[in-house]
Amino acid sequence: MKPLASSLRARQLSGYTCSSCTRQLRRQRRNYGTSSPRSPEVFDVVCVGGGPAGLSLLAALRANPITSFLKIALIESQSLTPLRSYAPSPTAYSNRCSSLTPNSVRFLKDIGAWEHVRAERVQGYGRMRIWDGVSGASIGFESESSGDGEEGVVAYMNENLNLTSALVKRVDGLGGVEVLDEQKVQDIKLGEDTEEGDFSSWPVVRTSEGKEVAARLLVGADGANSPVRTFSGIESRGWDYGRVGVVATLKMEGSGWGGEGAKIAYQRFLPTGPVACLPLPGDFSTLVWSTTPELANRLKGMSQGNFVSMVNAAFRLSPVDLSYLHDLKGGQADEVAWRVQHTPFEPEQVPMKVTSVQEGTIASFPLKLRHADTYIGERIALVGDAAHTTHPLAGQGLNQGQGDVESLARSITYSIEHGMDIGTRMSLESYNSERCTSYGAA
Amino acid sequence: MAMATPPLRPTSLRNLNLLLRTAPRFVQNQFRAQSTTSSKSSVNPTEVSHFNALASTWWDPQGSSRLLHLMNPLRHDFIRSCHAAQARPPPTSGLRYLDIGCGGGIFAESAARLSSTGLVTAIDPSPEVLAVAKMHARRDPRLSGKLTYLNTSIEGLSKPKSAEEQYDILSLFEVIEHITHPAEFLDVCKDFVKPGGWIVMSTIARTWMSWFTTKLVAEDIVGIVPRGTHDWEQYVNEQELRAYFLEGRGWNSPRVMGVIYVPGLGWKEVSGSENVGNYFFAIRKDE
């Protein structure tokens, strides 16, 4: 049919049919327009960010029979393909590791993700030795034999990649998530009042690929600079510590003073910030050294040999020695070797000697403390770093994110069981009071 | 706060009500009949205009209906406990709800969202409130087709002709205390319930404690509920409901759950509190 004829027909018809029928006709004609890319696809949950927090939320919602009917989309700027084909070398470890508490591991087991984690790359430890570099005062943590987790484990060291790849496997296995990876959030706006419904309270996310999705609940798992938080006008307050974290994967001269079965974590407080050596499987450890940006740059600029010596010095020599070593243009290795001979310390109270640093693993990132004023808005929930970032000192960042996700998934489940719209502020209130308020108290 | 000013009931009318409490019933009936424009309807016109004025704040979670929003999950818990008490569990899908006095649709919407629900018919005599309910339901596309709002009283609904047209759950949440002649009203309701179905309601006991909490504290002192929301004279006690349903035949398994609002904690079930203030009541039609 020619377009002219069809429009003519509609106009002719309108003269003979009642107004409700022509309205019907017009609506039908307009409905053809909904196949255009302008009309957003409607989802119950749209999660922005495919990091540990976002992926855990998807796994939690998909694994639970009460929430598994929800229509879910994930928007992630990176490709998920490398995570799916994760095949790490057994003799190398990533420099981005996190310490997982037994409670986080219990949650990851609950949502069926832990079994996909490569267990041979996870290192539990039962002791933590913490001491002050100036006074030498020390405290020690040992695990309580609580019901959950393995006996005698304070925490588990794990590469972030090992966790996220396990979560992607779990989410893939559960299915039912529309994955929009390699797509950035272009903008977020409120929807419109259309014939299909009033979406004026629904956030609509447009991706860099031009895809538009309307969200009953938009979850910001999109990190410290969260676009979702910006859209919802939630303030995030805090400060920069003026410190950066230097990380590296270290090879030690052995598997530790307690042997493979009794690994120990070490943390020493220096005037510039804490330095930590956390055990990985075998002879490997991971370093987190928080220090000033200037000293971090010098550390990163050193030869591998000098860097290794500086790490050994950080756990053994006095702050005065360290300060002198930092200022040297080079030759730290010889200098440390000489000074260590003349410094009294108990070898078994500090980490074993570092023998080398894994190629390409020395890196740094700025340390910030941020806390969002609230974790919720109308049809908005923030989880993980979007809600809070913290000093890696206590290794709590990732665990707090897992705690957020468990709480949010619980509040979504409760809302569904009680017929509430999962996106409304009313439904999200319990999540906010459980997490945001408790964080403030802590 | 953008709260609409509720119309105050004239003091003279309130005082009249107080006086009438002690008057013989036939005198009371004369006065009460005058205040009802249509003798065919259970609806009290003073109540309708009051709730019309509340319409704009119905869905504001921080507004005057906050207590109702907070109470809503308990309604589902209570209905679940009724179903759990049945020897034969109800079907897991296709349940039919009739929500009378649905207001802005807090319960009706939530019932329609449950996976076990087939349909919800929700009625309210206040056109303004119902317009709010309809407008709000458009915010959730999943409700369309499952939830129907009708601007009518129960008397205006056509009587079901078969069990298929009857309802599994007939709900009267915070309604009975706003009805002038509860017994006549309940007589009409009974026919809409399927054999084996439930009438589920929540209301407030008529005690000095409830006068103190709902009239004096909630309306006058704290102002959490707009003044004029409650007419303490119309409160119904649990024993009266129980006696009403069990005096004739055809109803069994009365259930009751007393709830108390604890500031900072929300609504909590407190056994025995049905004799003091807010309570849920349910009764099952014989199969």
Side-chain angles (χ1 to χ4, degrees), chain A residues 44 69 193-194 197-199 202 216 379 414 416-421 426 429, chain B residues 61-62 66 69-70 72-73 76-77 80 109-110 113-114 138-142:
Chain A
D44 291 309
F69 77 94
D193 195 344
T194 68
D198 177 5
F199 293 99
W202 289 47
R216 183 188 291 276
R379 305 201 178 279
Y414 181 89
I416 287 170
E417 285 178 316
H418 295 85
M420 298 156 87
D421 182 337
M426 197 77 201
E429 267 183 11
Chain B
Q62 300 301 328
R66 181 170 173 81
H69 284 280
L70 291 175
N72 200 51
H76 292 289
D77 289 339
R80 230 160 259 159
E109 276 197 10
S110 65
R113 274 192 206 98
L114 296 177
R138 295 189 65 249
R139 293 189 186 189
D140 187 351
R142 190 162 273 163

Side-chain angles (χ1 to χ4, degrees), chain B residues 11-31:
Chain B
T11 331
S12 55
L13 198 67
R14 275 202 203 178
N15 293 345
L16 185 67
N17 268 334
L18 275 172
L19 283 172
L20 285 174
R21 263 191 77 210
T22 48
R25 184 157 290 273
F26 73 94
V27 180
Q28 290 188 25
N29 286 345
Q30 281 179 354
F31 278 92

